[in-house]
Amino acid sequence: MGLRFKYNIALLLTCLVGIAAASGVSYLVVQKSAVREIHQAIDLIRANAIAVRSYTVSNITPALSDDSDILFFPETVAAFSAQSVFQGFKKMFPEFSYKEAALNPTNPDNLANEMETGLIEQLRADPKLEQISTVVENDGNRYLTVAFPLTIKQEGCLMCHSTPEAAPPAMVDLYGPNHGFGWQLGETIGAQIISAPMSIADRRAEETGLILIAGFTLLFFLIFIVSNVLLGRIVLRPVRRMSDVAEKVSMGDFSVPEYRKPGKDEISSLSHSFNRLRRSLERAMSMIDV
Ligand code: HEC
């Protein structure tokens, strides 16, 4: 096995390990920063929902609640408007979702599913938790899902969510007396559950990984070509010439011209030493011949 072959095998293995390690690490780093961006998108969706909620409470509820004995407009309810406005957003970004899920909801559509119930129970168990993130797989796609606690902080909420008797009769007519009541002040009754597709993060990480692999492969080829040319010029060609001369001299043929590698590197000094050795040998041989 020639020197060049051994060298290239070592170079190839080192480069393969390097490319794999660098691509893997960069994939993780890029994915992490993309996940951070998804979190920011989720925070924006939440901020928008909170703004819609507070707009509803301060502008819509006072304008429409006068006739609440006879008529009840769900539009006056913050939870309803926040979720309805999100439906408009979803038309443009169908992969995102926003739900005000509750364990005992007024509107059965808002009933927490099994996964959401798990998140709400965790938030209820630890009131200091401000959010919980989890990755959910659905139809082969991964979603980053974040749950923010919905806690009853104002007495005003209890008007409609404590007992059916306290709630506007028109509301009880519309939603029924069996659910959405019994909530307590300070209780976490549900969570804002916001999901965003992880595919953005995965795609970005894959793209960066591919660019890096292509870049490293190009770099490897450059190193391969340059180092092979240098290896040939600096080491292999002089060593081959010295070995040819040595071969002939060892057979007693002193007619071959001396080979002197120019420069001051180790191979040049070896060529000089070899020439000295050859002259000594030649002298010794001529003495024997005499
Ligand atoms: C005027 C009555 C009324 C008041 C006051 C009220 N809600 Fe509601 N709430 C409702 C109704 C009705 C719904 C169902 C809306 C729908 O159809 O989606 C609802 C829904 C909700 C939901 C979604 C889960 C569910 O029960 O369907 C949450 C969460 C919620 N309300 C929290 C609150 C909080 C917190 C407050 C106080 C800041 C509050 N509500 C005040 C009537 C009210």
Side-chain angles (χ1 to χ4, degrees):
M1 208 191 288
L3 262 185
R4 189 188 290 278
F5 184 75
K6 282 186 194 161
Y7 169 78
N8 282 332
I9 289 284
L11 182 67
L12 181 73
L13 287 179
T14 317
C15 284
L16 283 182
V17 172
I19 290 174
S23 310
V25 169
S26 70
Y27 182 91
L28 291 179
V29 171
V30 174
Q31 204 192 34
K32 213 168 173 191
S33 86
V35 167
R36 220 174 297 132
E37 275 173 40
I38 300 178
H39 266 287
Q40 279 166 5
I42 287 179
D43 285 344
L44 283 178
I45 292 175
R46 177 166 184 250
N48 184 58
I50 290 174
V52 171
R53 277 180 141 271
S54 87
Y55 172 80
T56 308
V57 171
S58 41
N59 297 287
I60 311 291
T61 313
L64 288 183
S65 54
D66 286 352
D67 299 327
S68 62
D69 281 352
I70 324 151
L71 284 172
F72 185 82
F73 296 104
E75 289 79 4
T76 60
V77 174
F80 180 88
S81 61
Q83 295 188 98
S84 306
V85 166
F86 184 79
Q87 292 314 313
F89 176 90
K90 203 173 164 64
K91 281 190 189 132
M92 281 172 268
F93 298 97
E95 286 179 298
F96 287 76
S97 74
Y98 175 87
K99 179 174 174 187
E100 296 200 4
L103 298 179
N104 169 25
T106 322
N107 183 339
D109 288 349
N110 300 329
L111 181 66
N113 64 25
E114 203 182 317
M115 183 271 294
E116 293 160 351
T117 304
L119 295 173
I120 295 169
E121 290 299 356
Q122 282 184 56
L123 291 169
R124 282 165 71 89
D126 184 355
K128 282 198 214 90
L129 267 185
E130 287 177 359
Q131 54 174 269
I132 308 174
S133 306
T134 174
V135 174
V136 179
E137 198 147 341
N138 199 354
D139 295 336
N141 296 317
R142 296 189 318 136
Y143 294 86
L144 179 67
T145 299
V146 185
F148 301 91
L150 279 167
T151 306
I152 303 300
K153 291 186 181 141
Q154 297 154 24
E155 288 274 356
C157 313
L158 299 181
M159 179 183 120
C160 299
H161 292 296
S162 58
T163 58
E165 292 71 37
M171 174 190 141
V172 182
D173 283 349
L174 199 60
Y175 290 91
N178 302 323
H179 41 80
F181 299 108
W183 299 2
Q184 310 281 328
L185 200 63
E187 183 187 358
T188 295
I189 51 85
Q192 286 173 300
I193 311 251
I194 307 174
S195 289
M198 285 287 280
S199 50
I200 310 170
D202 293 343
R203 222 176 299 135
R204 182 132 3 122
E206 271 163 29
E207 275 169 14
T208 315
L210 281 179
I211 292 172
L212 271 174
I213 290 178
F216 281 126
T217 311
L218 192 72
L219 187 70
F220 164 70
F221 272 114
L222 283 178
I223 294 175
F224 176 81
I225 291 167
V226 172
S227 65
N228 267 278
V229 168
L230 289 180
L231 183 72
R233 284 208 174 162
I234 298 173
V235 182
L236 298 182
R237 208 186 305 159
V239 167
R240 215 173 292 130
R241 284 191 65 178
M242 276 190 286
S243 133
D244 287 347
V245 175
E247 177 83 18
K248 292 208 170 109
V249 170
S250 71
M251 305 284 202
D253 176 5
F254 289 98
S255 65
V256 276
E258 285 188 356
Y259 168 68
R260 211 181 275 261
K261 182 181 180 297
K264 286 188 172 161
D265 60 22
E266 287 81 352
I267 309 273
S268 324
S269 105
L270 179 65
S271 73
H272 292 295
S273 315
F274 175 71
N275 287 336
R276 270 197 306 279
L277 181 73
R278 172 191 168 167
R279 272 176 244 137
S280 313
L281 182 70
E282 203 172 352
R283 261 199 309 278
M285 296 289 277
S286 64
M287 281 159 82
I288 295 170
D289 285 348
V290 170

